[in-house]
């Protein structure tokens, strides 16, 4: 479909809306109002061509080039106290209220309200560049042992944090299921940065709307650098904008318009080096959004948001890199597809790379801004590869209630050899539609290296870093941890229905040793697990979220 065809598609949509309204209500009074609205809308988006001849019909909303339903949040995230209070008082949740632990619906509400704003203040948001590797207290604690470890000669020692999966059924003194709590922590760890990238782009469109800008025609670029830079300064947003553009490229094979939005700038941080001097550090930021509305009203769409952010702070894991003195780059991409009102799909990848944004080799190519998991750091081969904190997520869900399937995998370092993986499936209770039930699995999966099975669980390393464990070559066990969880409409947290999580921190996941003891402190209070309660990996079924289409393949 050419540009003219797309424009006619929009006109038909407007007149179809009018026809349905008129047929349903038969009221000249109401229909006349709607005719006025229709004429006003049509007139606003029709303008003369550059030569003063044929009219040039623009897309009828600046928001057509942005995915308003795009927000990254854990499906098991509990509502925050701020959200609960504002919802109870029917107070709008603003973009400046958003934190990483906000729910999906709250984040979408904030973005929607931003687009509905009428002034620059409405375009404000929290600009935070931060990632976290924090775990829930119930997951992967430090475990101490004494007497001889069954897989080695050590008589006493400890197993490091982060390696032991779900250790306690619930989080701390709460009733929250550990699987839900840990998934929340992992998503929150990357959500702060992801939220900032989404909100930065949304703010750009909000500013364009406030300044009454129309979307560009095919082959044209709308430059908003001055407007966005001024608005970011006015709102004290911590990005010094150097470029802000919206470009309409050639339509895709289905005749849908293609929009590429670019936002560039720099963040400045100051830190006192002595009592009299201050070090000023400038970090480069690039954000790119490729968005394709697949319906005239942008109710369905597909696209990809990508980013790279430089940090002058050196990464200790990059000491062998030729670019170690430059610092590191935080890079990420989230492909998305809204098929219809009940189906949203995401694929997120993010990691930390050696070198500044110029040298960090993060994306698949210059034309495909997806993070490339095969580009791990290799001395003398790939000096700008990723070295740590790789996160991988595929979500397929209903935006209205988060019912769906979720895979989340992460790998601490490029040489780890395996990912830690959560798979969660959420469904409506068959007897009570207000209740959500879920099944969560934890285990280890393939390494982040481009494996097509990323996000799946291969088995369990019950002894990852202990004597004679995985790091010493011990094989994986075809087992996984499982929790069944539930949440009623009135409940704030997902609670546990049943557990299959118990094991001993040994290669076989269970031990007959009567002298080996272990626990969360050196008093070793834990009862030795002589028979694990884990489930076979062959029982993991149904957690196979469908990824979105890649708009750059």
């Amino acid at each position: 479909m050419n540009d003219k065809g797309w424009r006619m598609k929009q006109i038909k949509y407007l007149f179809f809306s009018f026809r349905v309204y008129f047929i349903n209500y038969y009221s000249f009074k109401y229909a006349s109002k709607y005719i006025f609205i229709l004429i006003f809308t049509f007139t606003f988006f029709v303008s003369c061509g550059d030569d003063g001849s044929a009219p040039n019909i623009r897309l009828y909303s600046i928001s057509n080039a942005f995915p308003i339903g795009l927000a990254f949040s854990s499906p098991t995230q509990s509502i925050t106290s701020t959200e609960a209070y504002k919802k109870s008082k029917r107070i709008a949740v603003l973009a400046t209220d958003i934190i990483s632990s906000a729910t999906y619906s709250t984040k979408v509400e904030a973005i929607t309200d931003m687009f509905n704003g009428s002034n620059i203040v409405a375009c404000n948001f929290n600009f935070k560049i931060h990632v976290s590797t924090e775990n829930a207290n119930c997951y992967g604690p430090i475990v101490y042992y004494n007497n001889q470890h069954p897989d080695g000669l050590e008589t006493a020692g400890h197993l490091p944090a982060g390696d032991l999966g779900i250790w306690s059924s619930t989080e701390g003194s709460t009733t929250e299921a550990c699987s839900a709590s840990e998934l929340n922590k992992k998503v929150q760890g990357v959500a702060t940065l992801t939220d900032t990238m989404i909100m930065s782009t949304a703010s750009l469109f909000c500013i364009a709307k406030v300044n009454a800008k129309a979307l560009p025609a095919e082959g044209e670029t709308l430059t908003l650098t001055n407007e966005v830079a001024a608005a970011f300064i006015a709102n004290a947003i911590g990005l010094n904008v150097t470029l802000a553009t919206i470009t309409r490229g050639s339509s895709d094979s289905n005749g849908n318009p293609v929009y590429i939005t670019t936002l560039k700038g720099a963040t400045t941080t100051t830190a006192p080096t002595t009592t009299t001097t201050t070090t000023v550090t400038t970090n480069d930021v690039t954000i790119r959004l490729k968005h394709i509305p697949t319906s005239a009203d942008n109710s369905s769409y597909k696209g990809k948001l990508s980013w790279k952010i430089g940090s002058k702070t050196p990464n200790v894991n990059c000491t062998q890199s030729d670019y170690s003195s430059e610092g590191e780059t935080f890079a990420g991409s989230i492909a998305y597809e809204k098929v219809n009102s009940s189906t949203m799909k995401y694929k997120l990848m993010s990691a930390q790379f050696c070198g500044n944004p110029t040298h960090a080799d993060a994306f698949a190519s210059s034309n495909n801004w997806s993070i490339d998991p095969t580009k791990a750091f290799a001395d003398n081969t790939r000096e700008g590869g990723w070295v740590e904190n790789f996160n991988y997520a595929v979500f397929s869900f209903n935006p209205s209630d988060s019912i769906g399937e979720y895979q989340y995998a992460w790998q601490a370092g490029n040489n780890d050899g395996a990912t830690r993986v959560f798979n969660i499936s959420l469904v409506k209770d068959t007897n009570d539609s207000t209740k959500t039930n879920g099944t969560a699995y934890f285990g280890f999966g393939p390494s982040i290296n481009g494996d097509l099975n990323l996000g799946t669980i291969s088995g369990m390393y019950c002894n990852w870093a202990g004597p004679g464990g995985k790091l010493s070559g011990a094989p994986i066990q075809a087992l996984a941890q499982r929790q069944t969880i539930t949440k009623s409409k009135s409940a704030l947290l997902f609670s546990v229905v049943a557990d299959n999580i118990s094991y001993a921190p040994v290669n076989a996941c269970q031990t007959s040793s009567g002298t080996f003891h272990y626990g969360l402190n050196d008093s070793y209070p834990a009862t030795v697990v002589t028979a694990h309660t884990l489930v076979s990996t062959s029982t993991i079924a149904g957690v196979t979220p469908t990824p979105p289409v890649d708009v750059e393949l």
Side-chain angles (χ1 to χ4, degrees):
M1 187 187 299
N2 57 23
D3 193 56
K4 180 179 179 181
W6 176 259
R7 293 167 181 171
M8 292 306 300
K9 190 176 179 181
Q10 298 170 63
I11 297 172
K12 289 177 182 178
Y13 175 80
L14 289 172
F15 278 100
F16 175 76
S17 299
F18 165 70
R19 184 179 61 191
V20 171
Y21 185 94
F22 186 79
I23 290 174
N24 286 343
Y25 289 90
Y26 295 100
S27 169
F28 178 78
K29 176 182 178 181
Y30 290 159
S32 62
K33 288 183 179 180
Y34 199 75
I35 291 170
F36 172 77
I37 295 171
L38 179 63
I39 294 172
F40 175 80
T41 305
F42 184 75
T43 303
F44 182 80
F45 292 104
V46 176
S47 59
C48 291
D50 295 336
D51 59 357
S53 55
N56 182 19
I57 305 173
R58 307 283 181 164
L59 286 176
Y60 58 87
S61 172
I62 193 73
S63 64
N64 263 42
F66 182 85
I68 291 182
L70 178 63
F72 192 62
S73 185
S74 170
T76 55
Q77 182 64 59
S78 57
I79 190 169
T80 66
S81 57
T82 299
E83 291 177 82
Y85 173 78
K86 290 203 168 188
K87 287 180 182 296
S88 68
K89 300 296 183 181
R90 296 188 177 183
I91 302 172
V93 179
L94 304 177
T96 49
D97 296 322
I98 294 301
I99 57 177
S100 63
S101 59
T103 59
Y104 171 82
S105 61
T106 296
K107 291 181 180 182
V108 172
E109 178 186 335
I111 293 173
T112 303
D113 287 345
M114 180 186 288
F115 273 88
N116 291 334
S118 59
N119 53 52
I120 293 300
V121 174
C123 306
N124 200 4
F125 66 99
N126 285 327
F127 187 89
K128 294 182 178 180
I129 297 178
H130 170 71
V131 294
S132 170
T133 57
E134 183 180 357
N135 292 314
N137 294 321
C138 58
Y139 172 90
I142 297 174
V143 169
Y144 298 85
Y145 65 89
N146 71 348
N147 299 328
Q148 185 171 333
H149 192 287
D151 300 316
L153 300 176
E154 288 82 349
T155 58
H158 72 273
L159 305 175
D163 295 337
L164 291 172
I166 300 173
W167 196 254
S168 302
S169 180
T170 56
E171 171 65 354
S173 59
T174 74
T175 60
E176 184 175 32
C178 186
S179 54
S181 183
E182 176 63 7
L183 180 61
N184 294 346
K185 287 291 186 182
K186 302 319 294 184
V187 171
Q188 290 168 22
V190 296
T192 298
L193 185 54
T194 305
D195 289 344
T196 296
M197 300 300 99
I198 295 172
M199 291 291 184
S200 296
T201 315
S203 182
L204 180 154
F205 281 94
C206 173
I207 294 162
K209 174 180 175 291
V210 170
N211 283 277
K213 300 293 184 179
L215 287 172
E218 187 169 328
E220 295 182 355
T221 295
L222 172 64
T223 300
L224 297 160
T225 306
N226 291 338
E227 292 87 344
V228 175
F232 274 37
I233 292 172
N235 285 332
I237 297 171
L239 181 68
N240 300 317
V241 175
T242 58
L243 180 69
T245 61
I246 304 172
T247 297
R248 180 172 173 183
S250 300
S251 297
D252 70 3
S253 59
N254 293 316
N256 298 312
V258 177
Y259 296 98
I260 297 178
T261 301
T262 303
L263 179 62
K264 293 185 178 183
T267 63
T268 301
T269 57
T270 59
T273 52
T274 68
T275 55
T276 57
T277 63
T278 299
T279 299
V280 178
T281 302
T282 301
N283 303 313
D284 294 327
V285 177
T286 297
I287 308 170
R288 178 183 183 266
L289 172 69
K290 183 173 185 178
H291 182 74
I292 303 174
T294 55
S295 59
D297 62 349
N298 198 33
S299 60
S300 62
Y301 49 70
K302 56 187 176 181
K304 185 186 299 177
L305 178 68
S306 310
W307 61 89
K308 52 183 178 179
I309 303 164
S311 170
K312 297 296 177 63
T313 303
N315 187 314
V316 294
N317 294 313
C318 292
T319 53
Q320 292 182 317
S321 171
D322 293 345
Y323 308 135
S324 60
S325 62
E326 299 176 355
E328 64 178 333
T329 294
F330 296 82
S333 62
I334 180 168
Y336 59 85
E337 180 184 11
K338 187 176 182 182
V339 180
N340 49 48
S341 61
S342 61
T343 307
M344 178 74 88
K345 303 175 184 179
Y346 292 162
K347 181 178 180 179
L348 176 138
M349 294 184 286
S350 67
Q352 290 163 239
F353 294 76
C354 294
N356 62 33
T358 300
H359 291 135
D361 190 10
F363 301 120
S365 70
S366 59
N367 296 317
N368 186 346
W369 283 49
S370 287
I371 295 297
D372 188 341
T374 68
K375 292 184 174 181
F377 168 78
D379 193 20
N380 299 320
T381 302
R382 187 173 291 112
E383 302 289 342
W386 73 268
V387 287
E388 67 178 5
N389 198 25
F390 200 110
N391 291 268
Y392 174 92
V394 177
F395 292 176
S396 179
F397 63 100
N398 186 328
S400 66
D401 55 18
S402 296
I403 296 300
E405 297 177 348
Y406 303 83
Q407 292 178 339
Y408 198 99
W410 68 100
Q411 187 168 317
N414 61 312
N415 293 318
D416 273 9
T419 50
R420 289 144 176 84
V421 184
F422 268 105
N423 286 180
I424 292 186
S425 176
L426 297 178
V427 297
K428 285 294 183 186
D429 189 284
T430 55
N431 298 315
D432 182 356
S433 61
T434 66
K435 181 186 292 186
T436 300
N437 298 329
T439 304
Y441 297 93
F442 171 79
F444 292 78
S447 176
I448 298 285
N449 59 9
D451 192 300
L452 295 177
N453 293 316
L454 278 178
T456 62
I457 295 174
S458 305
M460 277 291 289
Y461 289 110
C462 295
N463 176 19
W464 175 272
K470 191 273 179 188
L471 298 185
S472 299
I476 197 168
Q477 302 293 318
L479 301 168
Q481 293 181 304
R482 179 177 66 190
Q483 276 193 322
T484 52
I485 58 179
T486 189
K487 179 179 178 293
S488 65
K489 183 178 180 180
S490 60
L492 296 178
L493 305 170
F494 275 88
S495 58
V496 177
V497 176
D499 275 325
N500 297 95
I501 63 173
S502 298
Y503 69 91
V506 298
N507 291 337
C509 301
Q510 57 191 22
T511 179
S512 59
S513 171
T515 59
F516 176 60
H517 296 282
Y518 53 89
L520 298 181
N521 54 57
D522 56 13
S523 63
Y524 317 108
T527 300
V528 173
V529 176
T530 57
H532 68 71
T533 63
L534 309 182
V535 299
S536 169
T537 52
S538 63
T539 65
I540 302 176
V543 189
T544 54
T546 305
V549 297
D550 191 327
V551 295
E552 294 178 316
L553 289 180

